[in-house]
Amino acid sequence: MELGLASSRGPAGPSLAVAGRRPRPSLSPPLPCPLSLQIQTRGYSMPTLHHKAHTTVGCQASVAAKYMETPDIVDLDWENLGFGLVDTDFMYMAKCGTDGNFSSGEIVPFGPIALSPSAGVLNYGQGLFEGLKAYRKTDGSVLLFRPEENAIRMKNGSDRMCMPAPTVEQFVDAVKQTVLANKRWVPPTGKGSLYIRPLLIGSGAILGLAPAPEYTFLIYVSPVGNYFKEGLAPINLIIEDNFHRAAPGGTGGVKTIGNYASVLKAQRTAKDKGYSDVLYLDAVHNKYLEEVSSCNIFVVKGNAISTPAIEGTILPGITRKSIIEVAESKGYKVEERHVSVDELLDADEVFCTGTAVVVSPVGSITYKGKRVEYDGNQGVGVVSQQLYTSLTSLQMGHTEDRMGWTMQLN
């Protein structure tokens, strides 16, 4: 589940050397900007970095800084952390040319990148993104959740979009490097998570309709709180039957950037009316459930949990996959199939899943002017609460990971 992060600013540091923040860009002409970075870590071994800032970052002054004694955790208002962009220290970048092989990549200061106006991603939307999270345990170590699944999904999406992709190993290694370089931005236990956004874009200049001649693999991060302002509280959805998110044969099953811009109009209209988000129907029959704007949907009836099948129009969510496995381990019967609106309106309980929301209970559904409400403990159903607690406890390291899904960075 991922939409763009709303913009907000983190606290400004007094200087790069003291607070680990990049300085404001100078208005003077660009100068060569060698950057010596030394990041000390424990556990996962990240080599000492001695890189020149990448030319696309646009350094404006000569900068030399050592990140040896930065605070363990940055000073933020963690209690009021929303789901918005907070500028962090570093990002990861790697390039790929016509040979299809990505460079080894490097950690560079977080900041703007340079693109030609004729870049493939700007003109033809040739781009993919992923979303995953890192959590801080009580002992200070950091956990990643199933990063190899994101790597595989990006690789599958890249084939559909005629793009090369980093290997699973390079993807996971790049995520580790980026998180470790920004470790002080991982929220304290229970206060949020570090949202990780890998991007794969056609950065090469192209005029005619064709795959770009160059690609950029980039990862940035931001500390985040709850995606929905309600937190683990019921959200209110409206079913959209005029606009459709995806159609058979299209790109609804891959995480391409264009899938998300197309839902903004219906989502904005819904939010203006007081709804949390929009639930889309299939484009053929206009009666079977597909997705919320950026979440998968589940319907509970008795001991059975049903969710729309993955048939090319629905994103194969990693949280969706995890919730299915957790639910089955607890004895629920999980069915992946066509789920009709009638079944939804007759359900005992409904919830959404996604990287940002994890599990979000649905308090009401509105369809053609009819509103159906779902009972629960203050709107949170028993199944939603159980699955949310089970998965988040595993993600945060509160319970033993018998699934083998987490990866610890000390």
Side-chain angles (χ1 to χ4, degrees):
M1 122 78 219
E2 353 293 330
L3 277 180
L5 304 179
S7 179
S8 64
R9 299 290 299 179
S15 71
L16 182 65
V18 174
R21 303 287 290 145
R22 69 187 193 286
R24 292 180 179 273
S26 168
L27 298 180
S28 59
L31 299 172
C33 48
L35 181 65
S36 175
L37 308 179
Q38 292 183 342
I39 302 173
Q40 291 186 332
T41 62
R42 299 186 300 271
Y44 173 79
S45 178
M46 177 179 166
T48 301
L49 302 171
H50 296 285
H51 292 304
K52 290 183 178 180
H54 199 284
T55 54
T56 59
V57 175
C59 290
Q60 301 294 316
S62 179
V63 178
K66 289 186 177 181
Y67 295 82
M68 300 290 288
E69 297 181 1
T70 53
D72 290 336
I73 301 179
V74 73
D75 183 20
L76 275 182
D77 182 6
W78 300 112
E79 298 297 334
N80 296 298
L81 183 64
F83 199 89
L85 179 63
V86 177
D87 291 355
T88 53
D89 297 323
F90 301 105
M91 61 186 184
Y92 175 94
M93 292 187 72
K95 296 283 188 178
C96 176
T98 55
D99 63 357
N101 296 316
F102 279 85
S103 64
S104 58
E106 59 182 350
I107 295 292
V108 298
F110 176 86
I113 62 173
L115 282 176
S116 166
S118 61
V121 66
L122 298 180
N123 290 263
Y124 302 116
Q126 197 181 22
L128 297 162
F129 73 91
E130 280 296 328
L132 62 158
K133 289 179 176 178
Y135 296 87
R136 188 181 296 273
K137 295 177 63 178
T138 53
D139 64 3
S141 63
V142 175
L143 289 179
L144 299 177
F145 183 72
R146 309 191 80 173
E148 71 286 346
E149 292 288 338
N150 295 90
I152 293 168
R153 187 168 66 180
M154 176 171 277
K155 201 167 182 62
N156 292 338
S158 70
D159 181 66
R160 177 65 176 84
M161 302 301 291
C162 290
M163 305 168 73
T167 65
V168 172
E169 293 75 18
Q170 183 176 14
F171 182 103
V172 173
D173 181 69
V175 168
K176 290 177 177 178
Q177 289 190 48
T178 311
V179 171
L180 287 171
N182 294 285
K183 185 178 177 182
R184 72 195 192 101
W185 294 92
V186 182
T189 305
K191 303 299 182 182
S193 59
L194 188 71
Y195 189 89
I196 306 162
R197 172 55 60 83
L199 288 166
L200 179 61
I201 61 173
S203 51
I206 189 81
L207 184 60
L209 179 58
E214 178 195 78
Y215 297 88
T216 298
F217 175 48
L218 183 152
I219 303 176
Y220 68 91
V221 297
S222 176
V224 297
N226 292 321
Y227 181 76
F228 289 118
K229 63 182 180 180
E230 296 91 341
L232 186 64
I235 61 172
N236 301 300
L237 302 179
I238 184 170
I239 294 178
E240 175 59 58
D241 56 1
N242 291 316
F243 295 107
H244 293 282
R245 177 189 167 275
T251 59
V254 298
K255 207 165 179 62
T256 182
I257 57 178
N259 289 348
Y260 294 84
S262 63
V263 307
L264 296 178
K265 182 177 177 63
Q267 186 188 61
R268 182 175 64 182
T269 300
K271 289 188 174 183
D272 286 345
K273 295 178 179 179
Y275 298 102
S276 306
D277 215 326
V278 175
L279 173 59
Y280 290 89
L281 302 179
D282 75 288
V284 177
H285 305 286
N286 210 34
K287 72 173 186 178
Y288 295 111
L289 311 185
E290 292 248 306
E291 287 188 47
V292 181
S293 298
S294 53
C295 308
N296 295 114
I297 189 105
F298 287 78
V299 174
V300 180
K301 188 69 174 179
N303 194 54
I305 303 175
S306 303
T307 190
I310 301 297
E311 296 180 343
T313 58
I314 297 171
L315 189 72
I318 293 162
T319 308
R320 172 190 182 274
K321 179 179 181 179
S322 303
I323 283 293
I324 289 173
E325 294 181 54
V326 170
E328 289 177 335
S329 74
K330 294 186 175 299
Y332 291 102
K333 178 184 178 183
V334 181
E335 299 176 333
E336 298 180 69
R337 58 177 177 82
H338 290 172
V339 182
S340 69
V341 173
D342 290 341
E343 291 180 81
L344 173 73
L345 300 179
D346 188 49
D348 298 332
E349 189 178 334
V350 179
F351 61 88
C352 302
T353 65
T355 298
V357 303
V358 186
V359 174
S360 187
V362 175
S364 74
I365 297 283
T366 299
Y367 179 53
K368 294 186 181 297
K370 178 184 177 182
R371 179 184 174 101
V372 174
E373 297 186 350
Y374 302 96
D375 295 330
N377 180 19
Q378 296 182 332
V380 180
V382 174
V383 178
S384 302
Q385 181 69 68
Q386 182 184 27
L387 297 179
Y388 173 84
T389 300
S390 295
L391 188 59
T392 55
S393 295
L394 188 154
Q395 290 175 326
M396 298 177 188
H398 297 329
T399 59
E400 181 183 356
D401 178 14
R402 297 181 179 178
M403 300 289 195
W405 288 344
T406 57
M407 183 178 296
Q408 182 163 315
L409 309 180
N410 292 330

